[in-house]
Amino acid sequence: MATSAESGSIPQMIKDQMLATIYGQCIGDALGLLTEFMTKEEAKTYYGKKPTELKYEQKVPDFHRSRWKVGDWTDDTDQMILILQSLLYKKGEIDPVDFAQRMRFWMRRGFPELGDWGGMGIGQTTKTVLSNEDFLMDPHKVAERFWEQTGRKSAANGSVMRTSILGLHQWKDIEAVKSNALSICKATHYDPRCQASVVAVTTCIALILQHTQHLLDDPSTKKLNVDKLIRQSYDMACQVLDTKEEKDELWKFMSCTDIKKLDLTERDKIGYTYKCMGSGFWALKQNDFKKAMIKLVMEAGDADTNGSVAGPMLACKLGLSSIPPHWISDLKHKDMMDSLYQRFITLQSQMERPIEERMDNEDMNIEKIRERGEAIRLETERKMDEERKRKIEEKGIHNL
């Protein structure tokens, strides 16, 4: 765990921004579940035309939403946690094969310590790639092959939704942020539009933190220029695109100021990566976290995924104090995320050290996670068997 000496090199203001970004992801995901896969009219029916408040407990108990408990996040944040766990175990190094192993285990078992029986809400692109027999050996190659087989037309949002944490990792080095984001993106989503999406979002988050550092170093630093920030992120993202047409489409979504123009419930396109990324850059232009997130959620569509990008981007810009306290405290697995955050902060303070001198998180070894998961499964099944036996015995006694 972090000590003041270990984490002292990171200013408190930046640590708070990092925590806000992580909470922003969890909150955007959990709130978005309220309207995920609804039309805007259905969202209005359940939550009102212009709600001024949304709570996790308002979740409609239909089949889709009933799979998650109140205050829980979905697969979007689950996958962000997998990236975080891999970073901790690998002492800050990006390892797509280690990430692939975690993704495969999570798809089959979820997080057993949280009572999961499998990963829920997985997109079709991710599921297909994860199920390939070669995935654990070369995830990039498998993802590229799948993209080729789809006619180079598969540009789903399943990579950009999970990568906000990579905007925090090595945030002082934009090239490292870009490289890290691409490596994790291409483990499942190879399309250049997916790559451009993750580069745009992660470099934007890193640049916000860099601006805060400049402000702390020199109080005369000018206020954050959001338009300039977006242009910088756009320039970085364009480096993975080839044609003017591709770059123009990217700019269309990054520069959008009217959320309605994103058309987040467009038929057969709600999962398009640029719609999700565009949600994040629309949010970045807002100045009230609560109002912005409610407005985004009420646009419906793939709302949890859109929220998983918009939440961290706006929270990073506005800071921890901008988030309604109950949206944080009511997160079902807040304690788990807080613990991971503390380890992450310690790791960030040590990234300039040689790798052998960085903190050890051996308990994040995927084999040990599998062992703990199996032990939890066996114990859960034992308790269920005992409960079944108890009910049978009770029924027998009542029938005497």
Side-chain angles (χ1 to χ4, degrees):
M1 288 297 158
T3 66
S4 58
E6 289 174 324
S7 59
S9 61
I10 303 177
Q12 186 61 47
M13 189 172 181
I14 288 179
K15 285 194 276 186
D16 287 348
Q17 270 183 290
M18 288 183 171
L19 183 58
T21 304
I22 291 171
Y23 281 152
Q25 160 109 33
C26 302
I27 291 166
D29 189 354
L31 283 175
L33 179 60
L34 298 180
T35 63
E36 184 189 18
F37 300 151
M38 290 183 182
T39 65
K40 288 197 283 187
E41 289 306 313
E42 287 172 333
K44 290 177 183 178
T45 298
Y46 289 116
Y47 304 107
K49 290 185 177 180
K50 291 185 178 181
T52 57
E53 180 67 84
L54 283 178
K55 297 181 179 180
Y56 308 133
E57 63 196 42
Q58 293 175 264
K59 180 166 61 74
V60 178
D62 56 16
F63 172 76
H64 175 62
R65 268 156 279 276
S66 64
R67 294 184 296 163
W68 288 274
K69 294 182 179 179
V70 172
D72 201 356
W73 51 68
T74 72
D75 60 305
D76 308 53
T77 303
D78 277 1
Q79 291 182 41
M80 185 268 279
I81 292 172
L82 298 176
I83 297 172
L84 183 48
Q85 289 179 335
S86 184
L87 283 174
L88 292 172
Y89 176 62
K90 288 293 181 175
K91 300 185 177 183
E93 301 299 303
I94 294 292
D95 184 342
V97 172
D98 181 78
F99 175 64
Q101 292 175 338
R102 295 171 192 277
M103 284 284 284
R104 174 72 71 80
F105 177 75
W106 168 80
M107 179 179 73
R108 294 175 174 174
R109 295 299 316 282
F111 292 113
E113 66 270 34
L114 301 183
D116 294 349
W117 289 93
M120 295 190 297
I122 305 173
Q124 189 58 51
T125 296
T126 302
K127 185 176 181 180
T128 301
V129 173
L130 262 61
S131 300
N132 188 282
E133 61 182 6
D134 296 327
F135 178 67
L136 298 183
M137 294 181 288
D138 193 344
H140 287 178
K141 185 176 181 180
V142 170
E144 182 179 15
R145 191 187 308 147
F146 172 76
W147 176 61
E148 294 282 358
Q149 291 170 350
T150 62
R152 299 187 171 191
K153 294 180 180 179
S154 177
N157 58 19
S159 57
V160 69
M161 71 184 194
R162 66 189 179 214
T163 44
S164 62
I165 192 71
L166 295 174
L168 307 180
H169 182 57
Q170 293 184 279
W171 58 276
K172 293 181 181 180
D173 185 345
I174 289 296
E175 286 298 329
V177 169
K178 175 188 170 186
S179 176
N180 295 341
L182 287 174
S183 184
I184 292 298
C185 173
K186 290 188 289 186
T188 53
H189 293 69
Y190 208 86
D191 191 288
R193 291 166 292 179
C194 299
Q195 296 180 39
S197 296
V198 301
V199 170
V201 170
T202 55
T203 57
C204 182
I205 289 172
L207 288 168
I208 294 173
L209 295 179
Q210 287 187 12
H211 179 270
T212 300
Q213 185 65 63
H214 292 322
L215 182 63
L216 292 170
D217 293 340
D218 180 7
S220 67
T221 299
K222 294 181 180 179
K223 182 181 177 182
L224 181 69
N225 185 325
V226 172
D227 291 337
K228 180 180 178 181
L229 177 69
I230 294 172
R231 176 60 70 171
Q232 288 176 289
S233 299
Y234 169 75
D235 289 341
M236 293 291 293
C238 278
Q239 293 174 16
V240 302
L241 301 174
D242 293 326
T243 68
K244 181 178 183 299
E245 289 74 18
E246 289 174 330
K247 296 173 183 178
D248 287 346
E249 185 188 20
L250 174 66
W251 182 248
K252 171 188 172 183
F253 281 91
M254 289 182 69
S255 62
C256 182
T257 57
D258 183 353
I259 195 170
K260 290 182 174 57
K261 291 184 178 179
L262 292 175
D263 196 6
L264 297 179
T265 54
E266 183 178 5
R267 185 178 177 85
D268 298 326
K269 291 186 178 181
I270 66 170
Y272 183 36
T273 188
Y274 278 175
K275 287 186 182 291
C276 183
M277 179 209 66
S279 298
F281 281 94
W282 169 83
L284 189 67
K285 303 176 186 79
Q286 312 309 306
N287 292 304
D288 187 305
F289 186 84
K290 181 179 180 180
K291 289 181 179 179
M293 294 309 297
I294 291 176
K295 188 169 185 177
L296 177 68
V297 169
M298 292 304 293
E299 286 295 303
D302 201 356
D304 62 328
T305 303
N306 297 333
S308 293
V309 175
M313 292 183 73
L314 185 54
C316 188
K317 170 192 166 184
L318 298 180
L320 199 56
S321 62
S322 70
I323 305 175
H326 67 279
W327 280 358
I328 297 175
S329 61
D330 291 347
L331 287 169
K332 181 166 182 57
H333 302 302
K334 176 180 178 296
D335 290 347
M336 174 190 187
M337 194 60 73
D338 287 345
S339 176
L340 289 170
Y341 160 77
Q342 290 297 333
R343 296 195 195 201
F344 178 72
I345 286 294
T346 301
L347 175 63
Q348 294 310 301
S349 71
Q350 299 174 344
M351 283 305 295
E352 294 181 5
R353 301 182 189 179
I355 189 170
E356 61 271 13
E357 295 181 13
R358 298 174 196 167
M359 67 184 295
D360 180 19
N361 286 285
E362 186 59 29
D363 61 317
M364 293 294 173
N365 183 311
I366 185 60
E367 293 304 323
K368 292 189 176 181
I369 288 175
R370 285 196 185 101
E371 290 173 6
R372 292 198 298 272
E374 181 64 11
I376 291 170
R377 182 186 69 81
L378 292 173
E379 178 62 14
T380 301
E381 290 181 352
R382 184 189 66 78
K383 289 181 178 179
M384 291 174 66
D385 285 341
E386 288 183 351
E387 180 64 15
R388 280 194 292 267
K389 289 177 182 178
R390 184 186 65 80
K391 288 183 177 179
I392 290 171
E393 289 174 355
E394 286 183 351
K395 186 176 181 180
I397 292 173
H398 291 322
N399 287 339
L400 290 178

